[in-house]
Amino acid sequence: MEIFDLLEDYLVDQDDGLKKLLTWFLNLVMQLEAIQQSGAEPYERNATRTTQRNGYKERSLKTRVGDLELKKPQFRDRSFKSCVFDKYSRVEIALTNAIAESYLQGVSTRRIQEVISHLGVERLSASTVSRIAKELDEKVEEFLKRPIERPMPYIFVDASYFKVRDGGKYVTKAFLVVTGIRDDGHREILGAKITDSESEGFWSGFFDELIDRGLSGVELVISDGHKGIQAAVSSRFLGASWQMCQVHFSRAVLNNIPNKDKEEIAEKLRKGFEDQTKMAELAIELRQKRYSKSADTIDRFSQDIWNHKSFPKEHWRRIRTTNGLERINKELKRRSRVVGAFPNDGSLLRLGVAILMNINEEWLTGRKYLSMIKE
């Protein structure tokens, strides 16, 4: 199919057209890789050829526009390597390893039993699983300890929660992610950690690790209202402000409101974010209605939900919430669903960081998240 036909398909049906365009492009990338690795064009005879072609192998690749059916070139006497599947493989290996660990430890769920045959987990020995885990751990450590090379005016903190086996029981643990917006406007994933305690000491230690790796220039930290984070921000990032995520703030207020009044109060909260006087009036109203816990929440964070307004107005939408981490949390939940409960912390960290590495590459090579040009 010619490129102009692909472009025409895109104009007619963008979703299907984009899949065809990506399929064509990625197949072309692999063709170029095959030429480079073999030293010759298809059917070309020359002195630089290092191997012979052996047709193609159908290979599926999961993408944001759906599954792509690609043609992966094959060589007769050695394997063909392609960057096209690197990111896909990284997450799939981590996921398979998590399932394998559960299976071998006898803690697999019914859903795991349903997928082990498809993944070939039942053919993995304990030593193979251990070797894969070690290889993944090396990549995880490399990513989490890499230098932070640019100032980060804005950093965001959020968590997803997962069931993890701890001894003979399952407990809920937080998978914490810290991201930043660099001084050049690109986003970057700075760190991740698993914990069952979010005390000030934990957060101070986590922030110290980031600072030791080069984190600097922090002006605003956006997170939920956990006291441990607030205290650690004050001690570790002198001169920086803390922004209570407005989405988390709204949830905290509405959490103690009866269902019959939630829609009305939610609307007043939206207006209150635009006018501090209206937010103060809402707190008084809630107290009069005896929704004292919700009123107390407004009073407690009343000084911290507008700190983003000290920064350029065109940045406000991006820095008043932790919504920029929403895709990360959704992807973590989606990919971990088949695992159910993780057999240990390492298994969760391997899968989580594999996903973070993929997203980080997209962020750093994609469009800028914010324009950081100062007037």
Side-chain angles (χ1 to χ4, degrees), residues 114-315:
E114 292 172 357
V115 299
I116 55 174
S117 296
H118 174 69
L119 293 172
V121 171
E122 57 199 351
R123 296 191 298 274
L124 291 177
S125 66
S127 60
T128 300
V129 172
S130 178
R131 177 182 58 78
I132 293 172
K134 183 179 179 181
E135 292 173 357
L136 289 169
D137 286 341
E138 291 173 357
K139 294 179 180 179
V140 166
E141 183 177 14
E142 181 183 1
F143 180 75
L144 295 181
K145 291 187 176 181
R146 74 194 192 285
I148 299 173
E149 298 176 337
R150 299 191 70 108
M152 301 279 170
Y154 307 126
I155 65 172
F156 302 79
V157 180
D158 204 4
S160 295
Y161 297 90
F162 301 88
K163 291 289 185 182
V164 180
R165 197 183 195 202
D166 192 344
K169 61 182 180 180
Y170 287 98
V171 298
T172 299
K173 294 194 177 186
F175 183 84
L176 299 158
V177 179
V178 178
T179 68
I181 301 178
R182 311 189 319 185
D183 62 346
D184 64 355
H186 282 285
R187 286 187 293 174
E188 185 172 347
I189 294 171
L190 305 179
K193 195 175 282 284
I194 297 168
T195 183
D196 53 8
S197 170
E198 295 184 57
S199 64
E200 178 184 351
F202 166 80
W203 279 110
S204 295
F206 195 2
F207 290 150
D208 283 342
E209 290 177 17
L210 298 177
I211 292 169
D212 289 343
R213 286 170 45 210
L215 178 61
S216 65
V218 177
E219 299 178 27
L220 184 69
V221 180
I222 305 95
S223 75
D224 64 14
H226 200 286
K227 292 180 179 179
I229 298 177
Q230 296 177 57
V233 168
S234 298
S235 63
R236 292 305 186 268
F237 302 119
L238 297 178
S241 301
W242 173 72
Q243 166 76 32
M244 170 62 164
C245 168
Q246 291 186 352
V247 172
H248 284 90
F249 173 80
S250 295
R251 289 173 186 162
V253 173
L254 295 172
N255 189 49
N256 296 293
I257 301 294
N259 288 334
K260 64 184 179 67
D261 292 334
K262 277 189 176 179
E263 187 174 343
E264 177 189 352
I265 300 304
E267 179 59 30
K268 290 183 177 181
L269 276 171
R270 284 189 284 271
K271 293 178 180 178
F273 286 130
E274 303 300 323
D275 186 334
Q276 292 183 241
T277 301
K278 289 183 179 180
M279 189 68 79
E281 291 173 351
L282 177 59
I284 294 171
E285 178 185 340
L286 292 174
R287 194 160 273 111
Q288 290 173 342
K289 291 182 176 181
R290 298 189 178 182
Y291 300 150
S292 57
K293 288 185 178 180
S294 295
D296 290 343
T297 298
I298 293 177
D299 291 341
R300 186 163 67 252
F301 297 114
S302 62
Q303 303 303 313
D304 302 303
I305 53 176
W306 290 287
N307 282 333
H308 65 283
K309 291 189 175 182
S310 298
F311 299 89
K313 190 170 184 178
E314 57 270 25
H315 294 182

Side-chain angles (χ1 to χ4, degrees), residues 320-370:
R320 62 186 178 86
T321 72
T322 58
N323 283 357
L325 292 177
E326 186 176 351
R327 181 194 162 199
I328 290 176
N329 291 335
K330 283 184 177 179
E331 188 69 2
L332 288 167
K333 289 293 186 181
R334 184 182 73 84
R335 298 312 297 267
S336 64
R337 199 171 295 132
V338 68
V339 180
F342 286 88
N344 49 56
D345 286 3
S347 183
L348 171 56
L349 192 65
R350 289 178 206 115
L351 178 58
V353 173
I355 291 169
L356 295 181
M357 291 169 72
N358 289 353
I359 294 173
N360 193 59
E361 289 173 5
E362 292 177 11
W363 282 2
L364 294 180
T365 58
R367 296 176 60 184
K368 292 183 179 181
Y369 192 63
L370 285 180

Side-chain angles (χ1 to χ4, degrees), residues 90-113:
R90 191 159 55 204
V91 176
E92 292 304 311
I93 290 170
L95 180 60
T96 301
N97 185 257
I99 295 171
E101 286 185 308
S102 295
Y103 180 70
L104 292 173
Q105 291 182 29
V107 297
S108 56
T109 65
R110 181 178 297 178
R111 293 198 68 186
I112 289 178
Q113 294 286 356

